[in-house]
Amino acid sequence: MSDLKERTKEIQAGPKGRHRTVQVTVGNVKVGGGAPIVVQSMTNTDTADIEGTVKQVAALARAGSEMVRITVDRDEAAAAVPHIREKLDKLGVDVPLIGDFHYIGHKLLADHPACAAALSKYRINPGNVGFKNKRDTQFTDIVEMALKHGKTIRIGANWGSLDQELLTKLMEENAKSPDPIDARAVTREAMVQSALLSAKRAEEIGLPKNRMILSAKVSNVQDLIAVYRELAARSDYAIHLGLTEAGMGSKGIVASSAALGILLQDGIGDTIRVSLTPEPGGDRTLEVKVGQEILQTMGFRTFVPLVAACPGCGRTTSTVFQELARDIQSFIVEEMPEWKTRYPGVEQLNVAVMGCIVNGPGESKHADIGISLPGTGETPAAPVFVDGEKFRTLRGPTIAADFKALVIDYIEQRYGGAGAKAPAVTAAE
């Protein structure tokens, strides 16, 4: 029994304590140092298209992205950045913008000081800053620009564009070792060293730790976990998590959830991005929603009320519970921007929409407000539970509309003001 008690304590403790990192400020957002884990995203518009980029950044921000990265790959894109920032500010969208620089970032920042000033963070890849004798000079130029404008830098090593000189050096050293490791492990080590050596160099130039975020992104789940565990073990820089080239649809969602979930449970990660490949013309904000859901389902943050619904089986041949769960979820998502201003704390709400008598009443009791709909062959009645007690039984063709009205009433009474409370439980009808 003593062993069981100890294991129970470990389970109840939940995720490991957060890896201690130095806090960084990006625009108006705190990253690391115990701050809430931040969700960020990236546009896929041509940044030179000012209107299109403003529209997508605003949509990502309204979906919950707390920072948005944009590509700055040429003069036209760099020239557009201050105009994008100005238009977003006029719309009341104050989300920090991150400039994604490769190859000629040093030149673009120097030639377009308004761009350098409008961005809140510069993202650079040590493998793409410059090559051979130009690497250190161009890296220094970018760091000095960040110092001049008071900006943060994310040093983001990437499996697909790793510093080849460093990788070659480590491979040669490994080959000469009496006990060599496999090439994949050497590549992982090169990823970690690339990020840490670049951060050390940035500090030597004058950029403090509280102006740096590190990342080391790969597309394989196990490699990602190994690289980030090592990066966290060897530093206290703020860390950005992301599985690069995660993929499309369920593959990308599952891979990102698996990789990020394990690392977050280990206490690693101060900001995350779920890099999903969208369907042609698809909704870019999906990556924001998935990132939020990962954090919320793991208990790190709360963004929107949760709607629990059973998966359905042979007892639930009716689609009523599916349609009601979908309608309630959609309704909540649509109303959340306004609800957050009118109903403080509403994101903590839990709603259950269940499909039959097997688990329906029990699950509904665990929610703040829940309904157990009649399954196949069951009495056409739907008990509603409020705060664990039976509140009312709904019947007839308007069950869905009646329950939706009860949810709205519950929200208004519980979250509508300082003295608000849940509806009083009356005798069950």
Side-chain angles (χ1 to χ4, degrees):
M1 286 298 289
S2 59
D3 289 344
L4 178 58
K5 285 182 179 179
E6 289 303 313
R7 291 198 298 272
T8 301
K9 286 180 182 179
E10 291 178 9
I11 294 168
Q12 290 174 339
K16 293 181 181 178
R18 294 276 299 279
H19 169 58
R20 189 178 296 277
T21 58
V22 175
Q23 188 166 94
V24 177
T25 300
V26 181
N28 57 0
V29 177
K30 302 293 184 185
V31 178
I37 300 166
V38 173
V39 176
Q40 64 176 275
S41 60
M42 185 174 183
T43 59
N44 61 355
T45 58
D46 179 355
T47 306
D49 174 7
I50 295 172
E51 296 300 330
T53 303
V54 167
K55 182 179 179 181
Q56 191 172 93
V57 170
L60 290 165
R62 286 169 182 149
S65 183
E66 292 156 305
M67 295 190 285
V68 177
R69 183 155 51 111
I70 59 177
T71 297
V72 187
D73 58 345
R74 63 194 195 281
D75 287 305
E76 293 84 355
V81 170
H83 301 292
I84 292 168
R85 179 72 274 166
E86 181 181 7
K87 287 181 177 291
L88 288 168
D89 290 342
K90 287 180 178 178
L91 291 171
V93 179
D94 62 353
V95 64
L97 294 178
I98 303 164
D100 194 58
F101 293 99
H102 295 278
Y103 308 112
I104 59 171
H106 63 292
K107 184 176 186 302
L108 293 174
L109 287 167
D111 292 348
H112 299 272
C115 167
L119 295 168
S120 295
K121 183 171 74 172
Y122 311 152
R123 187 272 183 175
I124 58 174
N125 181 339
N128 291 341
V129 169
F131 302 98
K132 298 187 181 297
N133 60 334
K134 292 183 178 180
R135 177 183 292 112
D136 192 58
T137 300
Q138 293 175 185
F139 181 82
T140 299
D141 289 345
I142 294 173
V143 173
E144 289 180 342
M145 196 65 65
L147 286 167
K148 177 181 178 180
H149 291 279
K151 306 299 180 180
T152 293
I153 287 180
R154 170 156 76 93
I155 296 173
N158 192 291
W159 191 273
S161 50
L162 192 53
D163 181 339
Q164 291 303 303
E165 288 186 34
L166 175 62
L167 179 60
T168 299
K169 173 178 173 289
L170 292 178
M171 286 291 188
E172 289 175 350
E173 290 176 355
N174 184 59
K176 296 175 183 177
S177 170
D179 187 22
I181 58 177
D182 67 80
R184 202 169 191 90
V186 176
T187 305
R188 292 197 295 264
E189 174 63 16
M191 288 278 291
V192 174
Q193 285 199 27
S194 178
L196 292 177
L197 289 171
S198 296
K200 181 180 179 181
R201 176 58 184 146
E203 283 194 75
E204 291 171 350
I205 296 167
L207 193 69
K209 276 188 174 182
N210 65 358
R211 297 263 291 281
M212 272 186 277
I213 297 173
L214 302 190
S215 67
K217 300 174 80 171
V218 303
S219 57
N220 177 279
V221 170
Q222 295 297 340
D223 286 326
L224 189 89
I225 293 167
V227 166
Y228 272 107
R229 281 176 170 168
E230 193 64 24
L231 186 62
R234 288 154 66 173
S235 76
D236 61 353
Y237 295 99
I239 289 178
H240 168 72
L241 295 184
L243 186 74
T244 192
E245 294 105 25
M248 183 179 286
S250 61
K251 185 270 180 185
I253 293 172
V254 170
S256 292
S257 300
L260 271 58
I262 290 170
L263 290 167
L264 290 167
Q265 188 73 9
D266 281 350
I268 299 168
D270 301 299
T271 169
I272 68 170
R273 181 194 170 204
V274 177
S275 302
L276 297 179
T277 304
E279 297 285 347
D283 184 1
R284 189 68 170 180
T285 65
L286 178 60
E287 66 176 52
V288 180
K289 297 170 187 173
V290 173
Q292 288 182 328
E293 287 172 5
I294 290 171
L295 293 179
Q296 181 154 338
T297 55
M298 294 192 68
F300 291 106
R301 292 189 65 182
T302 304
F303 298 97
V304 296
L306 289 175
V307 178
C310 70
C313 66
R315 291 175 174 271
T316 56
T317 53
S318 168
T319 60
V320 173
F321 84 95
Q322 299 166 339
E323 293 163 357
L324 181 55
R326 179 199 60 200
D327 291 349
I328 292 292
Q329 184 74 68
S330 298
F331 175 68
I332 286 171
V333 170
E334 290 168 6
E335 296 295 324
M336 273 307 291
E338 181 184 353
W339 283 358
K340 283 184 177 180
T341 62
R342 291 175 56 196
Y343 306 119
V346 69
E347 62 272 13
Q348 304 285 343
L349 178 70
N350 286 306
V351 181
V353 180
M354 307 305 295
C356 78
I357 199 171
V358 174
N359 292 319
E363 292 290 345
S364 296
K365 287 178 182 178
H366 289 298
D368 295 317
I369 179 168
I371 186 170
S372 179
L373 292 158
T376 305
E378 293 177 14
T379 303
V384 175
F385 297 84
V386 171
D387 293 332
E389 300 291 337
K390 190 173 180 181
F391 177 62
R392 184 173 298 170
T393 299
L394 303 179
R395 294 182 175 84
T398 61
I399 286 178
D402 292 343
F403 180 67
K404 188 174 178 180
L406 288 174
V407 171
I408 297 170
D409 185 55
Y410 184 93
I411 289 169
E412 289 177 345
Q413 293 193 48
R414 178 168 180 175
Y415 302 102
K421 59 181 180 179
V425 177
T426 61
E429 298 176 6

